[in-house]
């Protein structure tokens, strides 16, 4: 699976709750306004939860529930609010934990960062610059519940960048594995999948969770955007991406979901699907054929730097290390002869244009995923240790993402998972006292 390309960034873009819900004002236009200072003011002094040294007030909880109901087109009744309250409170608790983590690291959210985030919402929703706060009040939404959520998201992005991102290293073999999988599935249909995951915490809540899934399905059929409900209600790691799983091939998800995808078309939404994770609602945003061809027919113009080596593993490793060091900055075939001469390597460096399928297995594996100007790792065999460089390449499979795009996608996938684990650890270490 390789999600949509976002080149040049290791972090996913800032996630803003209201972008989907404010796609035009129709989602909010019919909501009854609740002016600040009315019912909310009566709850200001009550505590909903204590989170270490911070509190979540009942005012905070009520204001966030108001925002959620108004922006997601859910029915504004007591049953809906009671059903949402525990999940919204958990989200507010998590935001306090995220802000505390940022403060411990000395990470602040500047006024400029907040202004840019608010301006992004205004721009994407065709609001006049500087009118976000006014627009929220006009719809009966307390502006601080939006700005504080934005602040927590920006702060958490900084925490993840400082604490989690440095631990992620994507190896060349992982990128090769993705390319090999794409080639192996050439001609198959892949799907852009969105999901809502509702976990089942205990067997006695099975019926309740399924009923919640049915209610969400009713809201989807009534026109509520899938991304809005996924963002607010999903328990899955993809909730932070508004439920976007990315492009998937058959066999990459659970068999139960695969069975739905087998006959699905873009726009299709499943009923509740039970898997070991819980209940899923799955939407197909798009589908496409994996383009492909015969990788063995790729033509490559190669140069090599080859050094003879005795049948001694330690000597071979030492020569391999020398080749790695000498070619670390090599990015042009024009420089190959000079490096070979400096190393005392075989003067025959130009191997000409060859078909990948005609190469020996070790050489074929080394070059099949190399781009033009890239150097292979050292290859031992035939009495020599050599590195190969691709000077030209033709007849390649069409539609493949480049290696940087794959690396970015793998980083994002791993970053999402590790960030959720980090938040889980912080939550487990925190003192949390829920009072409502």
């Amino acid at each position: 699976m390789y999600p949509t390309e976002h080149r040049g960034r290791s972090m996913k873009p800032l996630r803003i709750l209201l972008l989907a819900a404010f796609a035009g004002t129709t989602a909010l236009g019919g909501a009854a306004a609740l002016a600040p200072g009315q019912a909310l003011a009566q709850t200001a002094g009550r505590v909903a939860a204590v989170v270490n040294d911070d509190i979540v007030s009942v005012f905070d909880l009520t204001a966030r529930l108001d925002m959620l109901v108004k922006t997601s087109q859910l029915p504004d009744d007591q049953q809906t609010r009671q059903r949402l309250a525990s999940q919204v409170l958990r989200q507010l608790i998590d935001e306090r934990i995220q802000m505390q983590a940022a403060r411990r690291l000395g990470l602040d959210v500047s006024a400029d960062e907040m202004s840019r985030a608010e301006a992004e919402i205004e721009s994407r929703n065709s609001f006049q610059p500087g009118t976000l706060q006014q627009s929220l009040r006009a719809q009966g939404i307390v502006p601080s519940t939006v700005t504080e959520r934005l602040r927590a998201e920006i702060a958490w992005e900084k925490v993840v960048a400082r604490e989690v991102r440095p631990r992620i290293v994507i190896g060349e073999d992982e990128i090769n594995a993705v390319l090999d999988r794409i080639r192996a599935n050439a001609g198959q249909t892949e799907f852009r999948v969105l999901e809502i995951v509702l976990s089942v915490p205990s067997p006695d809540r099975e019926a309740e969770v399924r009923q919640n899934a049915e209610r969400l399905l009713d809201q989807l059929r009534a026109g509520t955007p899938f991304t809005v409900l996924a963002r607010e209600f999903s328990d899955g790691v993809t909730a932070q991406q508004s439920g976007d799983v990315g492009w998937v091939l058959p066999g990459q998800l659970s068999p139960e979901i695969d069975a739905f995808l087998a006959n699905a078309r873009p726009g299709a939404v499943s009923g509740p699907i039970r898997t070991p994770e819980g209940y899923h609602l799955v939407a197909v945003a798009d589908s496409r054929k994996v383009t492909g061809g015969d990788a063995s027919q790729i033509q490559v113009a190669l140069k090599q730097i080859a050094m003879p080596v005795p049948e001694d593993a330690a000597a071979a490793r030492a020569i391999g290390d020398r080749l790695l060091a000498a070619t670390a900055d090599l990015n042009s075939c024009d420089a190959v002869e000079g490096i070979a001469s400096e190393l005392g390597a075989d003067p025959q460096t130009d191997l000409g244009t060859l078909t990948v399928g005609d190469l020996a297995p070790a050489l074929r594996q080394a070059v099949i995923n190399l781009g033009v100007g890239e150097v292979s790792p050292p290859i031992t065999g035939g009495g020599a240790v050599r590195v190969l460089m691709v000077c030209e390449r033709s007849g390649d499979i069409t539609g493949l993402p480049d290696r940087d795009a794959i690396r970015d996608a793998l980083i994002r996938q791993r970053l999402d998972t590790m960030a959720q684990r980090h938040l889980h650890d912080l939550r487990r270490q925190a003192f949390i006292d829920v009072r409502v």
Side-chain angles (χ1 to χ4, degrees):
M1 177 172 63
Y2 52 101
T4 302
E5 178 179 346
H6 291 281
R7 298 189 57 182
R9 292 189 66 181
S10 60
M11 293 285 291
K12 53 183 171 291
L14 176 66
R15 301 176 299 273
I16 299 177
L17 167 72
L18 299 179
L19 291 183
F22 281 1
T25 59
T26 56
L28 298 174
L34 174 63
Q38 293 181 357
L40 286 174
Q42 301 172 15
T43 68
R46 296 172 55 196
V47 175
V50 177
V51 187
N52 292 322
D53 295 330
D54 290 337
I55 66 166
V56 177
S57 70
V58 175
F59 177 94
D60 298 328
L61 177 58
T62 306
R64 182 65 62 86
L65 281 167
D66 278 349
M67 181 188 72
L68 178 56
V69 168
K70 293 174 188 297
T71 59
S72 62
Q73 303 176 14
L74 293 168
D76 190 0
D77 54 39
Q78 194 64 24
Q79 182 182 18
T80 299
R81 288 173 178 266
Q82 287 176 345
R83 179 164 50 87
L84 297 177
S86 62
Q87 186 163 347
V88 170
L89 181 57
R90 183 180 64 181
Q91 184 180 68
L92 289 166
I93 289 170
D94 283 348
E95 289 173 14
R96 298 299 190 273
I97 291 171
Q98 291 167 342
M99 290 298 298
Q100 291 166 7
R103 287 196 295 269
R104 284 194 296 271
L105 294 171
L107 301 173
D108 297 321
V109 178
S110 69
D112 284 346
E113 288 171 321
M114 288 297 298
S115 295
R116 286 195 296 270
E118 292 182 13
E120 184 178 349
I121 297 176
E122 293 167 347
S123 174
R124 293 192 182 186
N125 295 280
S126 301
F127 293 166
Q128 290 296 318
T131 64
L132 178 61
Q133 305 272 328
Q134 177 185 345
S135 299
L136 293 172
R137 290 191 187 95
Q139 300 301 330
I141 298 172
V142 178
S144 62
T145 198
V146 176
T147 57
E148 289 309 302
R149 177 161 183 172
L150 282 175
R151 189 182 307 278
E153 289 197 346
I154 297 170
W156 183 241
E157 293 282 2
K158 291 185 174 187
V159 171
V160 171
R162 172 77 66 85
E163 296 285 277
V164 179
R165 175 62 184 88
R167 305 203 302 267
I168 299 175
V169 178
I170 303 298
E172 295 301 312
D173 56 335
E174 295 178 84
I175 298 173
N176 291 341
V178 173
L179 287 167
D180 289 344
R181 186 166 65 247
I182 296 170
R183 291 187 175 104
N185 286 283
Q188 289 196 48
T189 299
E190 62 179 354
F191 302 91
R192 184 66 180 269
V193 172
L194 307 176
E195 69 173 0
I196 297 172
V197 183
L198 302 180
S199 59
V200 181
S202 60
D204 62 316
R205 295 188 61 188
E206 178 87 22
E208 174 193 345
V209 175
R210 181 176 178 91
Q211 188 176 44
N212 287 340
E214 295 283 2
R215 290 194 186 106
L216 291 177
L217 184 59
D218 289 342
Q219 292 305 312
L220 292 170
R221 289 169 175 163
T224 305
F226 195 102
T227 52
V228 172
L229 296 183
R231 172 60 190 246
E232 296 304 325
F233 298 109
S234 180
D235 295 325
V237 295
T238 56
Q240 297 296 329
Q241 294 82 49
S242 299
D244 190 354
V245 178
W247 289 99
V248 299
L249 288 159
Q252 290 185 292
L253 300 177
S254 69
E256 298 86 355
I257 294 176
D258 271 351
F260 163 72
L261 294 176
N263 300 305
R265 298 290 183 270
V269 178
S270 76
I273 299 173
R274 185 64 162 99
T275 76
E277 292 180 285
Y279 283 96
H280 297 247
L281 297 176
V282 176
V284 178
D286 201 357
S287 66
R288 66 187 182 189
K289 291 286 187 182
V290 180
T291 54
D294 186 355
S296 67
Q297 298 306 306
I298 295 171
Q299 301 283 316
V300 286
L302 297 175
K303 287 192 175 182
Q304 71 168 359
I305 302 174
M307 300 182 68
V309 61
E311 293 184 3
D312 179 277
R317 284 194 298 271
I319 292 175
D321 290 343
R322 288 184 63 197
L323 287 171
L324 276 176
T327 59
D329 298 321
L330 180 61
N331 55 22
S332 169
C333 283
D334 294 337
V336 169
E337 287 83 357
I339 294 176
S341 177
E342 291 176 8
L343 293 174
D346 187 336
Q348 179 60 41
T349 60
D350 193 346
L351 300 181
T353 300
L354 303 167
T355 301
V356 167
D358 294 337
L359 297 174
L363 302 183
R364 181 166 61 245
Q365 185 63 32
V367 304
I368 194 169
N369 291 319
L370 289 182
V372 174
E374 293 182 334
V375 183
S376 74
I379 309 157
T380 302
V385 179
R386 71 192 76 228
V387 294
L388 301 173
M389 186 172 202
V390 176
C391 304
E392 296 177 11
R393 187 179 178 112
S394 62
D396 209 343
I397 294 174
T398 60
L400 288 177
D402 63 32
R403 298 179 73 84
D404 286 341
I406 294 173
R407 180 178 285 106
D408 287 348
L410 291 172
I411 287 172
R412 287 195 304 276
Q413 291 172 8
R414 199 161 300 169
L415 196 64
D416 292 338
T417 301
M418 293 178 66
Q420 287 296 314
R421 290 175 183 168
H422 189 55
L423 179 58
H424 174 77
D425 290 341
L426 293 173
R427 192 187 297 125
R428 184 167 44 83
Q429 296 163 9
F431 170 76
I432 300 172
D433 179 17
V434 176
R435 298 186 179 181
V436 294

